[in-house]
Amino acid sequence: MKKSILSLTAFILILGASSLYLTGCSQNKNEANHENMMEESSESKIYACPMHPEIVGKQGDKCSKCGMALKESDRTSNSDHENHKH
């Protein structure tokens, strides 16, 4: 009787520990996915020169014509320009 109670207790403890482990792994994966989404969203932003809006780049870049820091632009992608018909 004592062995079966000890075996049941050990089984419950192992089950609980593995549940906590799996929950922690899932949470770490969600945090990594959130960080990746944040990086992608910052990469999809377009930065343009205030004086030369045709000069675009990423955050931290400088204008190749005047050297000013590029500022965040209203445009989020070039897709509307690509679909433009001449």
Side-chain angles (χ1 to χ4, degrees):
M1 179 87 168
K2 277 188 171 183
K3 284 187 177 182
S4 64
I5 291 174
L6 288 175
S7 297
L8 182 61
T9 304
F11 175 74
I12 291 172
L13 287 174
I14 291 171
L15 184 62
S18 43
S19 294
L20 289 173
Y21 175 76
L22 292 175
T23 302
C25 290
S26 175
Q27 187 175 13
N28 288 341
K29 185 177 180 182
N30 288 339
E31 290 172 1
N33 285 341
H34 184 275
E35 289 175 10
N36 287 339
M37 286 175 52
M38 293 301 290
E39 288 175 10
E40 288 174 5
S41 69
S42 67
E43 289 174 1
S44 66
K45 291 181 183 176
I46 293 181
Y47 293 81
C49 176
M51 297 297 293
H52 306 99
E54 69 276 8
I55 305 297
V56 294
K58 60 182 191 267
Q59 186 176 16
D61 286 350
K62 295 188 184 269
C63 177
S64 59
K65 290 184 178 182
C66 67
M68 289 181 68
L70 302 184
K71 303 289 182 189
E72 189 172 343
S73 175
D74 294 350
R75 299 182 336 195
T76 54
S77 70
N78 288 330
S79 60
D80 53 345
H81 181 71
E82 292 168 356
N83 295 329
H84 182 75
K85 294 180 183 176
H86 291 273

